[in-house]
Amino acid sequence: MRKLLFIVGAGIGYILGAKAGRERYDQLSKQAEKVWSNPKVQSTVEDVKAQAPKAAATVAGSAKDIAGQAKAKVTGHEQTDLSGNYENEAGSWDSQTGTASIDEDELGPGADKLP
């Protein structure tokens, strides 16, 4: 697949940069049409089209997870799960029991920066 994309890209670059004239352009266009019409190429194109929604969903899910992790770090909820429980350097929250625990031994996040 990568080789095919490289070949297509190289062909487009050559066509755009070539000064060989219209005759060479027509020759390359016909060759590109042959390649594109090839049943193996079309089969690969159809396979990629079929896999694209799954890949998009995976990427979207990963992006959502990364955004959630970034939000958790900014808000101080370093580890948040789907039930609403979280834990960070200052304490934790258990959403099922409604119990909060506070780190009384330390001064919480950033304590190492205090004088």
Side-chain angles (χ1 to χ4, degrees):
M1 183 66 183
R2 289 182 180 176
K3 287 182 183 180
L4 177 63
L5 289 174
F6 175 77
I7 292 169
V8 169
I12 290 171
Y14 181 78
I15 290 170
L16 294 175
K19 295 184 180 180
R22 182 71 182 181
E23 199 173 294
R24 183 70 177 146
Y25 170 78
D26 290 339
Q27 185 183 19
L28 289 171
S29 293
K30 287 178 186 176
Q31 196 68 356
E33 182 61 35
K34 275 186 185 178
V35 170
W36 185 252
S37 300
N38 186 319
K40 287 184 179 181
V41 172
Q42 288 303 310
S43 174
T44 303
V45 168
E46 292 303 318
D47 290 346
V48 170
K49 283 182 183 178
Q51 293 173 4
K54 287 188 260 180
T58 301
V59 169
S62 296
K64 185 176 180 181
D65 290 344
I66 291 169
Q69 291 171 3
K71 179 182 175 188
K73 285 189 178 187
V74 168
T75 60
H77 303 119
E78 311 256 337
Q79 296 176 0
T80 305
D81 61 19
L82 293 175
S83 67
N85 298 332
Y86 71 83
E87 182 177 346
N88 67 12
E89 295 174 8
S92 64
W93 171 258
D94 185 345
S95 64
Q96 292 178 343
T97 62
T99 307
S101 67
I102 299 171
D103 181 11
E104 296 174 3
D105 298 333
E106 296 289 331
L107 296 173
D112 57 331
K113 297 178 185 168
L114 294 174

